[in-house]
Amino acid sequence: HTRLLTVTGVQTCALPICRFVTTTADSPLIAKGYPRTSSSPRTQAHAACHTSDGRRDRKADHWGNKMPGSVVVLGGGNTAFSVAAKLALEGHDVALWEHPSQATSIEPIFTRREIRLTGTAGNGVARLALVTTDAAVALGFADTLVAPVPSYAHAALADAIWEHLQARHVLALTPGNLGTLAIAQTLRRTRPNAALPLLVETDTAPYVCRKLAPDHAHIWGVVPAMGVGAFPASRTGERSEEHTSE
């Protein structure tokens, strides 16, 4: 299963502000809001309950005995479509957000909210809960944010979402290439007194993938192991304890 942030084997990297963790092929990324799977390979789907403002009521979530949490995928490219479809097929409530300047990338799925996924990571038609270019709506949907966008897009991403980021959010850049530092700098400049969200980055994207059509993503391969860094490093441990204690 694709899960977001199971921390294993924490080791300090060269930068004192980050720590890297190792992930395995069945957990290419880990982030807040993704409980560990049960020992059974099968899971039971339960109806998700939401509050009046559209955010998920996590007391109603179950994966195995608990259902997967909600996640927002930021971006509309090859990897974003692949990640969104994969997570949706596994039972997560997925919102897909794209920068307004790139809205044409999500126009083909805007009405039906469906992405066809094929390849080594699974096959099926994934139905998303939300497709939008409205950052306020997207970031209100869930606390877990995954940004499978290229490094050169991090500045535009930060400019588009900074005013809606809250301390409760976890923002994962996949890949990061020190994008966490750039986003932290933007947040400190624009909101100097606000608490930072947890910023996470990986050293590569989780999939070798490509769009084969405007609503079709294909995954040729899953990266078997990834380095994951957290900023600030002092918050790495809290996520490790959160997931290993379950």
Side-chain angles (χ1 to χ4, degrees):
H1 292 286
T2 304
R3 292 167 296 170
L4 294 184
L5 211 58
T6 295
V7 177
T8 59
V10 175
Q11 75 180 65
T12 305
C13 74
L15 294 175
I17 46 74
C18 293
R19 289 181 186 171
F20 278 89
V21 301
T22 301
T23 65
T24 58
D26 68 341
S27 58
L29 175 67
I30 297 160
K32 177 183 176 186
Y34 284 78
R36 291 170 24 164
T37 59
S38 66
S39 56
S40 169
R42 293 178 294 178
T43 58
Q44 295 179 339
H46 297 271
C49 296
H50 293 79
T51 60
S52 59
D53 63 357
R55 292 183 58 206
R56 174 184 284 274
D57 178 3
R58 283 177 173 74
K59 293 181 180 179
D61 294 346
H62 296 278
W63 173 276
N65 291 321
K66 295 180 179 180
M67 188 176 176
S70 302
V71 59
V72 180
V73 177
L74 304 173
N78 300 311
T79 309
F81 267 50
S82 298
V83 169
K86 175 64 172 171
L87 291 174
L89 286 175
E90 290 187 347
H92 299 266
D93 279 349
V94 178
L96 181 67
W97 171 88
E98 178 60 295
H99 195 285
S101 68
Q102 304 296 318
T104 54
S105 67
I106 61 171
E107 283 180 359
I109 65 166
F110 192 83
T111 301
R112 297 183 64 183
R113 306 194 309 277
E114 291 180 350
I115 300 174
R116 180 188 173 203
L117 182 69
T118 55
T120 60
N123 296 272
V125 176
R127 184 165 180 83
L128 308 183
L130 174 70
V131 177
T132 184
T133 58
D134 188 321
V137 171
L139 271 64
F141 180 84
D143 295 347
T144 302
L145 316 173
V146 183
V149 299
S151 300
Y152 58 76
H154 288 163
L157 172 68
D159 287 343
I161 69 173
W162 69 264
E163 61 182 322
H164 308 294
L165 277 172
Q166 304 296 324
R168 62 180 170 81
H169 285 120
V170 174
L171 172 60
L173 306 177
T174 59
N177 297 318
L178 301 182
T180 52
L181 301 183
I183 290 179
Q185 185 178 50
T186 297
L187 292 174
R188 285 172 171 164
R189 183 182 69 251
T190 54
R191 297 162 53 190
N193 299 319
L196 290 176
L198 177 59
L199 303 174
V200 177
E201 66 176 66
T202 65
D203 57 358
T204 188
Y207 304 131
V208 179
C209 57
R210 181 72 62 182
K211 283 185 185 179
L212 300 184
D215 61 350
H216 178 191
H218 185 87
I219 297 174
W220 280 277
V222 177
V223 176
M226 300 172 67
V228 180
F231 180 89
S234 60
R235 294 185 63 185
T236 304
E238 73 185 61
R239 295 305 170 213
S240 176
E241 293 170 4
E242 177 179 318
H243 291 277
T244 58
S245 63
E246 295 176 356

